[in-house]
Amino acid sequence: MRIGMLRACLTLLAIAPAATPAETITVDAVRVQVLSPTLVRLEERGPNGFEDRTTFHVVSRESRRDAGVTTRETADATIISAERWRLRLRRPVTSVVGLEFRGPDGEVLYRCGGNETNSVWLPSPGEMPPAWAFADKPRIVPPARGALPPPADRDILHASTSGWDLSNDALDVYVFLPDGDYRQLRSDFLNLTGPTPMPPLYAFGAWDSRYHPYTEETALAQIDGYRDHHIPLDVLVIDTDWRIGASHGYGVNAELFPDMPRFIRAAKQKNVRLMYNDHPEPVAGSALAPEELQYRYDGLASLLKMGIDVWWYDRNWDTHLHEPAPGIRKEVWGMRLYRDITRSERPNLRPMIMANVDGIDNGHRNRPPNVAAHRFPIQWTGDTQCSLRFLGMGIENAVHSGVHAVSPYVSEDLTGHVGRPAVEDYVRWVQFGALSPVFRLHCTRGDVRVPWEYGDVAESITRDYLQMRYRLLPVFYAAARNNYETGEPLLRRLDLEWPKYAEARRDDQYMLGDSILVAPICRDELRDLPAGWLSTAQGKPGLHAEYFNNRDLEGAPAVERVDSAIDFEWTGRAPAAGLGTDDFSVRWTGKLGPIPGDAPIGLRVAVDDG
């Protein structure tokens, strides 16, 4: 099944409101730009003066509404007033720190503290503060044509500079004063930082993905399997083994793909698009070094020229891109770089990449994303587990991100990267995926996620839900267009419609379109083994644990202890002092029981990279 035939009838035109120059007031070393009645820029003079160019974070400072401000001079101050706020600049003005916006009754709406960042959640529609702010920090100005020039102008990469300008950094704060109106805040934010582009239509179809060393024959057979089972497929993902060495560089592994262009043509003849995984390794000490950008451009462009459709920027943990400046993390920098290279090679097509969510690590939401991250769909939450707990986290991450990060395409490794889901769990993952922005089945090496491997019932339900998804493609596509124009997320949390109700702020349910309410089931009867069921050989509670500083339980254990339960999250940290964060092993010894009651007990073990 293909979805390309919908493109013509669903393409809409948007006419942006006319833009006008911002109201600008300069006092000593500070410039105030009133971009709208509800958005004000506070900028300190940089080493090269005030900055009018677009930056990594800010793409437009033109006002789309009459600011309606007045300016009055007194003996010692300049006072800027709008309908709902007043800003006093007491001379001499050397910094924006300490400047205060006050309301009609004199109450402080916002005080600039100087510690504003580029990473901050938007507030909830029902919990709007008087003001909200972020800083264009660090202020880095891209070349006029993006991260890289088009091929005809690429000689700039051999010069002493990459074209990115870091020389005019200064404190630059944007203060939003929406008077309690969430949609006004979001509108001002997106006018400033740019909209989320619409992905191409095929992105809303079904994707198949696995960490697996495909060959040309097995990859084409994977497509044929979907066709034989009458299950739609629009995108096949080729993970990192396509390359020599399976992890670094851009040389094709000829043992797996002796003729890569031939394979790509064959997949396209089967009406399937291709996404390739890239674990990028730096070749220079700086993210902006010309040789680094040249290497990345040449490598990514080489596969795009062969005909692949999408690059998957997989930041990796051990080997990854450098940051171009402190405060612009590798996640959002890679998004920008891969998007710009794709757009340079395909100037007449919508550029799309997939990348790690900036701030969600293996399903765990740890921090707000960079304020520019929403411009780069599609994003995924990392290597998650197959349990329904992680399904629940995925639902909440997607819904939360749509409201608080204006990121509408946060998606999952559907059915989890690691572990083997039970059939019922597999079905519940599929059901959510069919009603989410991106449907991409995925698993790690040595496992499969194709529906027919989970029995006739799971296959039938998967087919039914995917067929329903394809019938809903006009709903998805219209929602994507609406998001592009307004920022309204595809998965609309209920407080967008009913902001006064606290229960509407739940992240485990949402509206799809105007009339479809989705409340996925993401819990079951699974629970951690009760501590009372475990005992050591000596009868103590828990299990005797032996930790080894190798993968194979060899030699003498580095650490011995009693663990009261087997439920650990060790991402980025060691289990105990004296052990590494990776390449360790552990053996637990003891007894299970007595188990109360007569009901049968099923045991599951879920692990990552082990």
Side-chain angles (χ1 to χ4, degrees), residues 287-610:
L288 299 180
E291 60 269 29
E292 172 70 25
L293 297 179
Q294 181 75 64
Y295 172 76
R296 197 67 52 207
Y297 190 106
D298 291 344
L300 299 180
S302 66
L303 273 295
L304 290 169
K305 292 179 187 300
M306 292 183 194
I308 76 166
D309 299 281
V310 184
W311 272 112
W312 174 357
Y313 165 53
D314 192 342
R315 83 176 149 212
N316 208 343
W317 291 105
D318 300 320
T319 304
H320 49 72
L321 298 178
H322 295 302
E323 297 178 352
I328 297 181
R329 296 182 178 91
K330 58 184 177 295
E331 289 86 356
V332 71
W333 170 244
M335 295 179 197
R336 170 84 193 234
L337 186 62
Y338 280 56
R339 190 282 309 270
D340 282 4
I341 293 173
T342 301
R343 185 170 60 183
S344 181
E345 278 296 304
R346 307 261 176 86
N348 297 321
L349 297 177
R350 297 179 195 171
M352 185 179 77
I353 52 95
M354 190 169 90
N356 299 83
V357 178
D358 180 22
I360 300 179
D361 303 313
N362 295 346
H364 297 276
R365 190 167 65 237
N366 293 325
R367 54 178 167 77
N370 184 287
V371 294
H374 66 278
R375 296 203 304 262
F376 310 107
I378 291 170
Q379 299 170 28
W380 112 105
T381 62
D383 296 344
T384 55
Q385 298 179 19
C386 68
S387 69
L388 293 186
R389 171 173 169 258
F390 275 83
L391 170 58
M393 292 164 58
I395 296 166
E396 293 183 359
N397 282 329
V399 177
H400 183 276
S401 295
V403 173
H404 294 284
V406 294
S407 294
Y409 299 104
V410 169
S411 63
E412 292 297 303
D413 284 346
L414 287 177
T415 68
H417 177 69
V418 296
R420 175 81 171 182
V423 172
E424 183 177 350
D425 294 1
Y426 178 92
V427 167
R428 290 181 181 178
W429 277 97
V430 163
Q431 289 170 329
F432 164 66
L435 295 169
S436 71
V438 180
F439 183 95
R440 182 179 58 86
L441 295 172
H442 180 80
C443 64
T444 191
R445 190 183 293 272
D447 210 340
V448 294
R449 291 293 191 265
V450 290
W452 52 92
E453 289 290 336
Y454 287 81
D456 293 342
V457 173
E459 178 183 347
S460 177
I461 293 173
T462 301
R463 185 183 299 108
D464 288 346
Y465 267 78
L466 278 176
Q467 289 175 350
M468 177 183 67
R469 178 183 180 86
Y470 277 70
R471 291 194 297 271
L472 290 173
L473 281 176
V475 174
F476 279 100
Y477 207 60
R481 182 67 197 196
N482 185 47
N483 172 263
Y484 171 71
E485 294 175 347
T486 70
E488 195 85 353
L490 276 68
L491 308 187
R492 295 169 52 237
R493 202 171 70 184
L494 302 187
D495 60 343
L496 291 168
E497 295 296 333
W498 300 282
K500 296 181 180 180
Y501 293 90
E503 57 268 33
R505 299 180 203 132
R506 292 173 48 174
D507 290 324
D508 60 354
Q509 55 187 337
Y510 56 89
M511 298 286 290
L512 176 61
D514 294 329
S515 57
I516 302 174
L517 174 64
V518 183
I521 297 173
C522 54
R523 292 172 178 82
D524 60 13
E525 298 302 319
L526 288 177
R527 58 188 177 123
D528 295 333
L529 278 173
W533 292 11
L534 305 176
S535 60
T536 68
Q538 293 75 31
K540 297 181 180 180
L543 298 179
H544 179 69
E546 300 169 283
Y547 290 83
F548 300 82
N549 255 327
N550 58 71
R551 294 189 176 198
D552 303 309
L553 305 170
E554 293 179 343
V559 174
E560 291 190 67
R561 68 188 188 194
V562 174
D563 288 333
S564 60
I566 312 302
D567 181 22
F568 297 105
E569 172 58 62
W570 287 321
T571 301
R573 60 190 180 90
L579 295 167
T581 58
D582 287 303
D583 297 321
F584 60 84
S585 54
V586 54
R587 175 168 56 219
W588 288 284
T589 307
K591 298 180 180 180
L592 172 62
I595 300 172
D598 297 326
I601 299 295
L603 298 179
R604 282 193 212 168
V605 177
V607 297
D608 182 12
D609 297 336

